[in-house]
Amino acid sequence: MRHLPGTCRQRRSACRRRFTPATEPIIPAPVDTAAAPEPTSNAGLNSGPNPGPTSDLVIIPADERHLDALMTVMHAAFDPLYGEAWSAAQLAATLTLPGCWGRLALMGSQAAGFSLCRAAGPEVELLLIAVAPAQWRNGIAGRLLMRAQEDAIVRGASELFLEVREDNEPAKYLYNRAGFVQVGRRADYYTAKDGSRRAAITMRFSLEQLIG
């Protein structure tokens, strides 16, 4: 994720399907990630098969009223070693900015994951996507990713971008499988608590693949 002023940022994805606007709540079909490795402390991104029951999953708009639920997932999903988790103040402030929106994934009454996006002209940036560890490998990250695509199309965007830590293999697998392509690399972008540094990979997805 790229760091905005006091925040972070991420950037593309595809399933070859036509887009049709949906009503709330939406449960899009999961991205096929059957061959993905088991995620290990990588922002809760579930990139494996979907063995768990997700028929009760709903994805709803998230705002400041959901801040506690969002932060519960945030703290559980992101490895503190890399300092990628946002503070409650950062998240709350971003949710109120023009062009920014969040989505909360619920399994029953429990928060299972969330995403945060920002629109900027013809582009949408996926700033955050996280899944609670108890829900890893249930296809929830893929569903949130697809909902971000649909939201971006509704807002008139033509491209979806994200940034991901270079060594976050489960996340990179999810994005590559979904159709994102690497378009940039920023060396030494992330600084871990032990002082080690890692590059950020910028990825892009053309939303025309879902519309054409």
Side-chain angles (χ1 to χ4, degrees):
M1 290 163 293
R2 182 182 307 173
H3 294 273
L4 297 170
T7 55
C8 309
R9 199 173 151 175
Q10 290 190 346
R11 298 193 184 206
R12 168 173 176 175
S13 135
C15 287
R16 300 299 190 269
R17 61 187 179 85
R18 281 188 172 274
F19 168 75
T20 52
T23 57
E24 299 292 349
I26 183 171
I27 308 176
V31 173
D32 177 14
T33 56
E38 181 74 40
T40 55
S41 300
N42 281 294
L45 283 165
N46 53 355
S47 50
N50 183 1
T54 57
S55 58
D56 293 332
L57 180 72
V58 294
I59 298 176
I60 64 172
D63 56 35
E64 313 91 276
R65 295 169 297 178
H66 303 103
L67 189 60
D68 288 346
L70 298 173
M71 290 306 300
T72 296
V73 175
M74 181 92 73
H75 290 313
F78 287 95
D79 188 335
L81 173 64
Y82 302 105
E84 294 172 306
W86 294 20
S87 69
Q90 289 172 331
L91 184 55
T94 303
L95 284 168
T96 63
L97 292 175
C100 292
W101 71 94
R103 292 285 176 184
L104 177 62
L106 296 171
M107 287 289 290
S109 62
Q110 298 299 310
F114 74 89
S115 62
L116 183 67
C117 294
R118 183 182 73 163
E123 299 179 1
V124 164
E125 295 175 287
L126 178 60
L127 303 175
L128 287 172
I129 184 169
V131 173
Q135 296 294 340
W136 287 0
R137 301 183 68 85
N138 280 345
I140 295 173
R143 295 188 182 201
L144 285 166
L145 188 58
M146 292 178 69
R147 187 58 203 255
Q149 293 173 312
E150 294 177 338
D151 286 340
I153 292 171
V154 168
R155 286 164 173 78
S158 58
E159 295 179 308
L160 180 63
F161 288 87
L162 62 86
E163 283 190 340
V164 60
R165 196 176 69 246
E166 188 172 45
D167 61 346
N168 190 339
E169 296 302 329
K172 287 166 58 181
Y173 181 92
L174 174 69
Y175 299 141
N176 285 322
R177 185 81 169 187
F180 283 80
V181 296
Q182 180 175 335
V183 294
R185 180 181 184 274
R186 299 200 289 169
D188 299 332
Y189 184 73
Y190 296 99
T191 302
K193 286 187 175 180
D194 61 5
S196 61
R197 300 180 70 86
R198 291 163 175 79
I201 302 300
T202 303
M203 306 187 79
R204 176 175 60 105
F205 176 74
S206 174
L207 295 165
E208 293 179 356
Q209 299 178 72
L210 303 182
I211 307 172

